[in-house]
Amino acid sequence: MGFKRLTMVYRGVFILLTSLLLVSCIWDTAQDIPDRCPVLANAYGSYNVGGGNGIFQWSSDAEHILFEFASLRHPSRWYIVSLETGLVEPFDLHVNLPEVKDGRWSPVWSPIDNVVALHDGTNLYRLDYDTGEAAYLTQGYGKLLWSPDGKHIVFVKGQSWYVMNIDGTDERPITGRIEVRLKMWHPSEPKILVSLSGARKNRPDNIGIIDIDSGHITQLTDTKDCEFHLRWSPDGRQITYISRDGNQDIFVMDVDGSNVVNLTNTAPQHERDFSWSPNGRQIVFTRYHALSIKEFNQEIYVMNADGSEQRALTDTPDEHESAPLWSPDGAQIAFWSTGQIGEGPDSRWWQLNVMRADGSARRTLATFAAEEDDLP
């Protein structure tokens, strides 16, 4: 085989492997560090299938959903939809923050009021959604994490993780280990759930906890499994996550890493993502059974916090539901769905939906289509 032909073969293999890696991984945010295991954005519903990408989050009063959508035919853009009126509008920050760069806003809604923190890849800002008042805070980027009381925010600056008050004061570093990926602030204590790089080369990431005041990191797991989608339970007494080692299930353990329990244990079916109800009594999640790409279908399920009484909330064989996210008041669940329009590989539609917590009264909030310019 000639050198030129051999080079083309190697190049083709490289492109194939790269494509498979991209299909198998979901990123926290565009600026976050890619995990070796799939991950979902903390406090977001994140969706990546069939050529479309979407991130969404509830407002603290459960009256709006802030979301992003992008596909091959739809450039990345942020929108906001009113649950009361159904009106969908572009979330255009240039009115208040003309200096913010296009397409890199990464807004994150406060857990207690209508304040949005955002960055443009370089600088960190805050925006009061009700008044339109905007303010520059500091240089910062990366995945933004709010404290549960809405008084502090975590971000990346340089090569370190920082925390500061939401008015921009008392800025201080947490850790210089940028490879530590911060996932979720504890509901009541100054510590954050983190994903740690494996102790040995090519090992999956492990689960840990970082103390915000001291920067001390406690590693809780050291397994060969791929553990991701880390969440505190609403009372902060347990840690939930998805573990993938052949099968993919939802697990729960105590905060010291003990008493590990497989909540779903449904081989050969797989659970992909989940969200706790605000009262801590139930978990909503997605389940799929894929024998091949063509047979792939995913539905939304709900179960009690101990894994009992698992039941489907959707039954749509021609659709694919993803990323269910409970509203802050516990009354509704938002999620993405997709389906095929025609025979072409990119002939798909995508919808952002909402339904009651029992699966009834489903309605569509926004629709995107690959073959038509069907922006909301």
Side-chain angles (χ1 to χ4, degrees):
M1 183 181 293
F3 176 78
K4 184 175 181 180
R5 185 171 180 178
L6 186 63
T7 301
M8 292 178 65
V9 171
Y10 285 157
R11 182 180 299 172
V13 171
F14 173 79
I15 292 173
L16 175 61
L17 292 175
T18 302
S19 300
L20 290 174
L21 286 172
L22 289 175
V23 169
S24 65
C25 294
I26 301 175
W27 292 32
D28 279 57
T29 66
Q31 292 76 28
D32 202 3
I33 305 169
D35 285 58
R36 286 166 291 174
C37 299
V39 290
L40 288 176
N42 176 42
Y44 297 157
S46 179
Y47 165 82
N48 185 337
V49 68
N53 292 272
I55 294 175
F56 69 91
Q57 52 195 292
W58 287 91
S59 62
S60 57
D61 57 12
E63 294 181 359
H64 297 83
I65 293 179
L66 179 64
F67 70 97
E68 180 189 29
F69 184 81
S71 71
L72 293 176
R73 304 199 182 191
H74 299 109
S76 176
R77 192 171 189 181
W78 284 92
Y79 301 86
I80 189 165
V81 56
S82 166
L83 272 292
E84 180 181 0
T85 66
L87 178 64
V88 180
E89 298 179 299
F91 192 66
D92 190 356
L93 299 175
H94 287 126
V95 175
N96 309 98
L97 294 167
E99 66 273 28
V100 176
K101 302 172 186 176
D102 280 321
R104 301 182 66 183
W105 296 330
S106 301
V108 184
W109 208 289
S110 166
I112 63 167
D113 53 29
N114 284 344
V115 174
V116 178
L118 60 136
H119 70 81
D120 61 1
T122 303
N123 298 310
L124 188 62
Y125 304 86
R126 61 170 289 167
L127 172 69
D128 188 308
Y129 180 72
D130 293 329
T131 66
E133 181 182 354
Y136 166 83
L137 295 176
T138 186
Q139 290 185 340
Y141 61 97
K143 182 174 182 176
L144 306 180
L145 288 182
W146 283 92
S147 62
D149 60 8
K151 296 180 179 180
H152 305 86
I153 194 150
V154 170
F155 59 98
V156 174
K157 187 172 186 176
Q159 294 299 310
S160 299
W161 286 98
Y162 277 72
V163 63
M164 71 176 179
N165 298 334
I166 193 55
D167 62 2
T169 61
D170 194 22
E171 179 183 322
R172 56 189 174 88
I174 301 174
T175 177
R177 292 179 58 184
I178 196 67
E179 74 277 7
V180 175
R181 287 170 291 281
L182 279 62
K183 299 298 180 180
M184 186 178 184
W185 199 304
H186 190 276
S188 59
E189 300 178 18
K191 53 188 179 183
I192 294 176
L193 198 56
V194 301
S195 179
L196 305 169
S197 296
R200 294 187 293 276
K201 187 177 181 180
N202 297 325
R203 285 291 301 275
D205 291 343
N206 293 295
I207 301 172
I209 296 173
I210 185 169
D211 183 276
I212 297 174
D213 295 329
S214 67
H216 177 72
I217 298 173
T218 302
Q219 183 171 323
L220 300 179
T221 63
D222 184 15
T223 71
K224 61 182 177 61
D225 301 336
C226 189
E227 298 164 346
F228 57 100
H229 198 52
L230 316 182
R231 296 288 184 272
W232 297 106
S233 60
D235 62 8
R237 296 179 180 178
Q238 294 178 305
I239 296 169
T240 44
Y241 59 96
I242 293 177
S243 183
R244 184 179 66 187
D245 182 18
N247 195 47
Q248 190 165 293
D249 292 305
I250 300 174
F251 285 75
V252 64
M253 66 181 177
D254 292 344
V255 294
D256 61 359
S258 64
N259 297 324
V260 177
V261 177
N262 187 337
L263 294 179
T264 50
N265 198 19
T266 53
Q269 299 179 93
H270 303 271
E271 285 70 48
R272 183 170 180 176
D273 42 46
F274 64 87
S275 171
W276 279 90
S277 63
N279 62 15
R281 296 175 182 172
Q282 292 181 301
I283 299 175
V284 65
F285 60 97
T286 55
R287 173 176 289 163
Y288 69 93
H289 184 176
L291 298 177
S292 70
I293 294 178
K294 291 183 179 180
E295 296 177 58
F296 182 85
N297 175 252
Q298 185 165 282
E299 303 287 353
I300 297 176
Y301 285 72
V302 68
M303 64 181 173
N304 293 334
D306 62 1
S308 63
E309 299 185 26
Q310 299 180 22
R311 61 184 179 87
L313 295 182
T314 62
D315 182 14
T316 53
D318 296 328
E319 297 182 18
H320 175 100
E321 279 84 16
S322 185
L325 188 63
W326 231 296
S327 62
D329 60 7
Q332 301 181 88
I333 296 170
F335 59 97
W336 282 102
S337 62
T338 185
Q340 197 76 20
I341 297 174
E343 298 298 326
D346 65 342
S347 301
R348 307 190 69 87
W349 54 262
W350 303 268
Q351 291 181 335
L352 178 63
N353 310 279
V354 68
M355 62 183 173
R356 291 175 183 165
D358 62 2
S360 64
R362 173 175 173 168
R363 62 189 176 111
T364 298
L365 301 175
T367 300
F368 299 84
E371 291 189 333
E372 301 174 346
D373 186 16
D374 193 21
L375 290 174

